[in-house]
Amino acid sequence: MAPGGSPSQLAVSPRVARLLWLASILILVPGATVGLAVITTDPVPYSAPAFLEVIGQVGISPVAGAWIGFVLPTVVALVVAMVIRLGRPHDPFALLFGLSIVSLFLLLAGVGTALLTVWPRFWARLVDVVAIELTIAGLFLFPSGRFVPRWTRWPALAAAVTALAVPGLAEAARALGTDTVAPNADLHPALVTGLTLVTLGSWLPAQVYRYRRHSTSLERLQTRWILFGFALVLVGSLGAIVFRVLGVPARAAVWALVTGAVGSLLLPVAAGLAVMRYRLYELNRIISRTVSYAILAASLALTFAGAVFLFTRMLPISGDLAVAGSTLAVAALFNPARRSIQAAVDRRFNRSHYDAAQLIEAFAAKLQTGTGLSDLLTEVKAVLGRTVEPSAAGIWLKEAA
């Protein structure tokens, strides 16, 4: 328990949570279907100019960009929300987090703004309001279903009340964020800017505090999965825009866009894994393998280029023979370099795996030196507690016949 008392937690019965989930789905799914159809028909009014320029630079049409960037992630998010509903039907906060990811993608796509062109204003804005409320709740309550610290309920409540009192908030925010003109957006940008600063300015520090002071090891793993998905989206999206500004060749922008698209698809999947608590420890392995193989590929490429340069410029060896010799040298270095780089990366990005291996090796060495039964049992419990972190552990000994 952190200083200052227990954090606030909302009490919602599973039955009420399921009814609210069903009501939200009945609002969001038709809105998503019609709104995304409008967006894919003519994506230009609902897309940021920078996004359109980047995809145009690499030869992707606005319609294809809308399908990849808006429709597919939303469909994946809806599938994940359904899986969570089937897998954890009695967990109110699991149901909420599944819907909050769907709502986030609807807001990013501008579904409510698109609906204004085909639906009455009340129903179009109802979709936006529900999406905003669910997104705010998901942001402030993830991953434990509590407001941590307790004062975060007040900015969350202020944002939720403002969204209800000002139904056109989402379309005005989208017009401001994408530098586009939204239909019927008559709100002053200062209101949107101020509310965004208050919300993010309270949420980000609260998440850091929650992660460092309150979160259990399980909750930290859940948070890492979400951050992993967000990081891919941000790296890809911002990278593509930076490449465009710097005038980098279109091929590099394609890789940035692919990274962002993969991140958009992985974000709801990562949220589903976090909520379902399924194979959470695999994240450290994924990150460590990605980083290690990227470093390995770069190192071997530099080694190959250096070897070719050395053989052709410094030694009297023909080009074909130099390439063959460099290839053999890189092939011989592959496994030793991979093991060394993987060990170094594991110490930084997959520390639990590295520490577990070190503990097991030390335990095996201690067994070889001989030890008493009581010391052995104590050591076994310590190794189990530091490697797999069980909530409880017991040792059963069979009596000798």
Side-chain angles (χ1 to χ4, degrees):
M1 187 68 62
S6 61
S8 297
Q9 181 175 14
L10 295 179
V12 181
S13 69
R15 180 179 178 84
V16 172
R18 289 194 294 269
L19 290 175
L20 292 175
W21 184 92
L22 179 60
S24 300
I25 283 292
L26 292 177
I27 294 173
L28 295 179
V29 170
T33 303
V34 177
L36 291 173
V38 173
I39 293 173
T40 53
T41 301
D42 184 14
V44 174
Y46 312 101
S47 303
F51 172 75
L52 295 174
E53 289 183 28
V54 170
I55 63 175
Q57 185 183 27
V58 298
I60 300 176
S61 68
V63 173
W67 275 95
I68 297 172
F70 298 142
V71 178
L72 289 181
T74 304
V75 171
V76 174
L78 282 169
V79 171
V80 169
M82 296 296 180
V83 171
I84 293 174
R85 172 65 178 83
L86 295 174
R88 302 181 70 88
H90 303 296
D91 187 342
F93 300 108
L95 301 180
L96 167 64
F97 299 143
L99 290 177
S100 67
I101 294 296
V102 177
S103 301
L104 176 63
F105 279 105
L106 294 184
L107 293 175
L108 293 176
V111 165
T113 304
L115 288 174
L116 287 171
T117 62
V118 293
W119 277 11
R121 180 180 298 188
F122 171 81
W123 294 108
R125 288 183 168 174
L126 177 63
V127 173
D128 265 343
V129 168
V130 172
I132 292 176
E133 301 293 341
L134 290 171
T135 302
I136 292 172
L139 286 175
F140 280 92
L141 292 174
F142 185 83
S144 63
R146 300 180 178 89
F147 287 110
V148 180
R150 287 182 295 177
W151 57 262
T152 54
R153 55 185 164 179
W154 299 117
L157 180 62
V161 171
T162 304
L164 288 173
V166 187
L169 187 66
E171 60 190 89
R174 180 162 186 81
L176 182 63
T178 61
D179 194 25
T180 57
V181 178
N184 303 315
D186 51 0
L187 297 176
H188 196 279
L191 174 61
V192 176
T193 303
L195 185 62
T196 302
L197 291 176
V198 169
T199 304
L200 294 180
S202 59
W203 175 73
L204 287 175
Q207 286 298 312
V208 174
Y209 172 81
R210 177 200 291 266
Y211 186 89
R212 295 178 61 89
R213 299 291 299 275
H214 266 280
S215 294
T216 64
S217 58
L218 174 63
E219 291 170 354
R220 289 180 179 178
L221 284 172
Q222 291 175 304
T223 303
R224 289 175 194 170
W225 272 103
I226 298 296
L227 292 178
F228 176 65
F230 271 117
L232 289 177
V233 175
L234 290 177
V235 168
S237 303
L238 295 180
I241 295 175
V242 170
F243 288 156
R244 178 185 64 87
V245 173
L246 297 178
V248 177
R251 182 176 299 178
V254 168
W255 285 108
L257 288 174
V258 169
T259 302
V262 171
S264 297
L265 296 175
L266 285 182
L267 177 56
V269 175
L273 293 175
V275 172
M276 299 294 290
R277 304 174 184 178
Y278 178 74
R279 301 179 71 89
L280 295 181
Y281 287 95
E282 292 296 324
L283 177 62
N284 292 337
R285 182 180 179 87
I286 291 172
I287 294 177
S288 68
R289 292 296 183 269
T290 302
V291 173
S292 62
Y293 278 102
I295 296 174
L296 177 64
S299 301
L300 294 180
L302 291 175
T303 302
F304 179 81
V308 171
F309 177 82
L310 177 65
F311 289 150
T312 56
R313 301 297 178 88
M314 307 298 294
L315 299 175
I317 300 177
S318 64
D320 293 339
L321 186 59
V323 171
S326 301
T327 303
L328 291 175
V330 168
L333 290 173
F334 179 82
N335 279 327
R338 180 183 61 82
R339 287 192 292 266
S340 299
I341 293 173
Q342 189 65 66
V345 171
D346 278 346
R347 285 195 293 270
R348 177 63 182 88
F349 293 98
N350 197 10
R351 190 72 195 185
S352 60
H353 171 76
Y354 177 79
D355 290 342
Q358 298 297 312
L359 282 171
I360 292 173
E361 289 180 5
F363 179 64
K366 183 173 291 188
L367 288 178
Q368 294 177 357
T369 62
T371 184
L373 180 60
S374 60
D375 294 336
L376 176 62
L377 296 179
T378 302
E379 191 69 22
V380 169
K381 289 183 179 180
V383 171
L384 287 174
R386 297 180 62 182
T387 53
V388 298
E389 298 183 355
S391 58
I395 297 177
W396 175 76
L397 296 178
K398 182 178 179 181
E399 295 183 0

